[in-house]
Amino acid sequence: MFTVQESEIRDLLNVLNKEYKVFVPAKVGDESKFVPYEDNVEFCWDRNVLLSVKDKFFPQTEPLYKFKTKRQNLEIEPLAPKDEPVLLFGVRSCDLQALNCLDQVFLTKGFVDEFYRTKREQATIVALGCNEAEDTCFCTAMGVDPQKGHGADIQAHWLQGKFALEALTDKGQKIIDTLKSYLKEENLEVPETKGFQLQPDMDGVPEKLKGMFDSDLWTEVARKCLNCGACTYICPTCHCFDMSQDVRGEEGFKYRCWDSCMFEEYTLMAGGHNPRPTKKERVRNRFLHKLCYFPERYNMLLCTGCGRCLSVCPVNLHITSIIDKVKEAN
Amino acid sequence: MGTMEQLTLQLRETAREILESKKAAAVIGWEMGTFWYSTAPAILTRPEETERLVWNEYCLNNLAKYLLDFQNTDEKVAIFARGCDYRGINRLIQDKQIDRDKVLIIGLSCPGMKDDKKARELGQNADIPLAKKCEECTYPDALAYDLWVGEPKEAAKPAKAEAKVFPEVESLEQMTADDKYENFAANYEKCLRCYACRNVCPACSCRECIFGNSSKEWSAKANNLSENMFFALTRALHVAGRCIQCGECERICPVNIPIMLLNKKIIQDIDHLFGPYDAGLDPEDKMPLGSFEFTDPEEFM
Amino acid sequence: MSVNEALDQKTPTENLENWQPKILVFACNWCTYAGADLTGLSRLQYPATVRILRVPCSGRVNPQFVIKAFQKGVDAVLVCGCHPGDCHYTTGNYFTRRRFLLMRRLMEYIGMEPERLQASWVSAAEAQKFQQLITEVTEQIRALGPNRKLRDVQWEQWNN
């Protein structure tokens, strides 16, 4: 384990910033999110950021290609991907697990999303362990280890006023080697994350949900839902998108942007039929997707217990309470 | 606290009685949420469910919007209402979204609710301040009701609006044009366009919203500053004269956009241009933008 | 020039020397549109900076039309209709008056220069007033320069 004093972390980031575009968790006004590292950023080390790193790989709005029409001809002009190595410093385990979920969607089963892949391959990730859970956290219940980011290049810990770094991949080792002059070798004990208040029991839930499509539970829980998209847009694993175009005259850009299964238009068909006409069907789909369909297809849960939806849902329609209710249901 | 606990029991009893005697098919109230500082709206249909109802310092949600879910049912709905819920209900009645006859209003007097975000931050033992929307509240009690729960109040003084002045609006007005714009842009740069503000708003009851209907091509799903501003301004002007000032949009915004800054500006201007007006006090009121006077200020001559 | 072409202009930074304001005029069918016609028939010259969009009544002008216009790149919007009392539909313009008293204040509040959104009553006989109005507004906007506020720049950003 290699350590650096917290007060010297900026030196280290400055070095990294020469080779990478470095993003760090920061407080921006009332918000917290990953921002490009600059000398005057106000770090957010004590808790996870409100907006996850999802948009660094899967932006809310992303142009895909440009097209031009001339009479019968159609020209497609691909947009050159940015050639820019990125380093994300301080990604929490839950958000890393979320990236693992997105990897499944965008990179496996024979469907590779080039836009996602390019950005994913250009990124180096330094995970940051959590010493204390927030009251909305429940990652351990979702099988995530808050002190060990699965899929990161370096694991960092914020302990006793120092950052401790540990390489997890060769790429990570190389970075640590280049930073050696700033680092001191010492072993610090990584404590167990404390303060978890929520422990929804996921045991058997995905299997049980397979038989619960027609359960009355959904009518019940959906009643209070407002069908806003706060939970889906704040979620680090939600990945639905819509394709659209910005057309001017005979040219246009095809782009994609996040969509939300909570919106009425999401399943609206061209002929006007909507297979998910009310909030009951939409709420059911969201939770079945997270806890049943996704595990069925990719063998992993589409919830990482980051707790963001718990803090933003205007009506307290919490995934943890749904899991509890599924457990209780006959 | 003691009284709120007692009131909770009365709330439950009232709700149970309503459901048992079938005076209404559903009761809309509040139940405990996941955390000590949270409650959630509860829509109950069975008498035994009424045990879940609570009335505590964190009953923050405005309940009026849930009446829309009963637009197409024949039965009556009972709803607990403080001043803000009451004004929300009137909003829907005035906008012809629901008939007054279909709603059984159970009036409550509201002591003001506490700020749940602050509560989360400060912890259970701290002194938690009032929620911003409650601090600014001018009508804490339901002004008309079918049933009343709690200490019988003196007859509410006839509601009469006074011309309002909002210091935060006034201080913004002092800025230069470019500073104002920068400030506005910084607020709406953050917008996720989750539409929580729209969906919680009792004044947003369009069956089809241009922001949920990209085939109409008014608004793209693309998230950029221009589209976000288009949404913000269009919505502010759409609820102009109808905003009941419940502050729910601002309270629930996941990225803390001060949405009420726009609404308050419009409210303040309405008061000073067309005379003091508080929306949602009386469904028979003339609405400021749905009516006019020959003597209105003339600036376009 | 079609409305689309008129609205579809490049970034204002290009060609600032030859820049001309683009002003969108909502003109009510019964008064202002006829007034504008009369301006032409009377050979009264006014700057070619306006694009006139005919509406059945000034009361038809929804605030979202105005914001959309700014998004698409116009430098100013002018809402015109019959004088109060003269509305073809009796009272339409009284609603317009209330609406735009508020909207102008809101736009100023968010940082738009007040000159960029104006309203004025122009009757079918007021050819001279129309000429003067367009000349004045054009001068005001010329002094202010191109409008960048509210502008949708996604296209330009993606093109770079």
Side-chain angles (χ1 to χ4, degrees), chain A residues 61 135 224 227 265 279 318, chain B residues 34 37 66 69 199 214 223:
Chain A
T61 309
D135 57 356
K224 68 176 86 151
N227 268 176
E265 200 188 25
K279 53 189 176 185
H318 292 165
Chain B
T34 307
Y37 53 79
Y66 290 100
D69 292 338
N199 289 18
S214 42
N223 186 295

Side-chain angles (χ1 to χ4, degrees), chain B residues 14-27 45-48 74-78 102 104:
Chain B
T14 312
R16 173 181 279 271
E17 202 273 322
I18 287 169
L19 289 176
E20 272 173 355
S21 64
K22 301 211 162 43
K23 279 185 199 144
V27 176
T45 52
R46 292 190 297 273
E48 62 273 21
D74 297 328
E75 304 102 333
K76 220 168 168 153
V77 197
K102 260 183 76 170
L104 189 111

Side-chain angles (χ1 to χ4, degrees), chain B residues 138 161-166 245 267-269 271-272 276-279:
Chain B
T138 41
E162 282 167 33
K164 294 172 282 299
V165 176
F166 301 103
Q245 242 186 298
I267 289 169
Q268 186 176 303
D269 283 344
D271 281 3
H272 292 91
Y277 178 73
D278 285 339

Side-chain angles (χ1 to χ4, degrees), chain A residues 115-187:
Chain A
F115 302 93
Y116 179 85
R117 188 184 60 82
T118 326
K119 290 192 267 296
R120 191 74 167 95
E121 281 172 2
Q122 282 173 356
T124 306
I125 297 179
V126 181
L128 179 61
C130 298
N131 301 331
E132 208 166 332
E134 287 186 66
D135 57 356
T136 49
C137 289
F138 57 100
C139 63
T140 46
M142 296 290 135
V144 174
D145 180 349
Q147 291 288 27
K148 197 160 168 49
H150 179 58
D153 297 297
I154 294 174
Q155 176 68 52
H157 296 281
W158 187 45
L159 301 164
Q160 306 156 24
K162 294 174 192 168
F163 282 95
L165 308 178
E166 223 174 335
L168 299 180
T169 62
D170 293 347
K171 201 155 100 178
Q173 188 58 53
K174 272 186 206 144
I175 292 173
I176 289 192
D177 289 343
T178 59
L179 296 171
K180 274 274 165 67
S181 58
Y182 296 89
L183 301 170
K184 193 172 129 201
E185 190 156 9
E186 70 177 310
N187 270 334

Side-chain angles (χ1 to χ4, degrees), chain B residues 178 181 218 298-299 301, chain C residues 68 97 105 129 149-150:
Chain B
D178 288 351
Y181 186 74
W218 268 105
E298 179 55 78
E299 292 178 0
M301 211 43 108
Chain C
K68 196 84 209 168
R97 185 162 68 182
R105 283 162 173 76
K129 181 173 180 183
K149 292 168 182 170
L150 295 179

Side-chain angles (χ1 to χ4, degrees), chain A residues 5 10 29 35-36 42 65 70 84 95 102 117 142 156 170 183-184 187 194-195 220 231 243 279 299 302-303 322:
Chain A
Q5 291 294 332
R10 285 180 192 270
V35 298
E42 191 189 338
Y65 58 84
K70 242 180 208 157
E84 183 178 57
D95 292 349
L102 296 182
R117 188 184 60 82
M142 296 290 135
D170 293 347
L183 301 170
K184 193 172 129 201
N187 270 334
K194 48 180 206 286
E220 200 101 325
C231 53
M243 307 279 282
K279 53 189 176 185
N299 205 21
L302 192 59
C303 172
I322 300 226

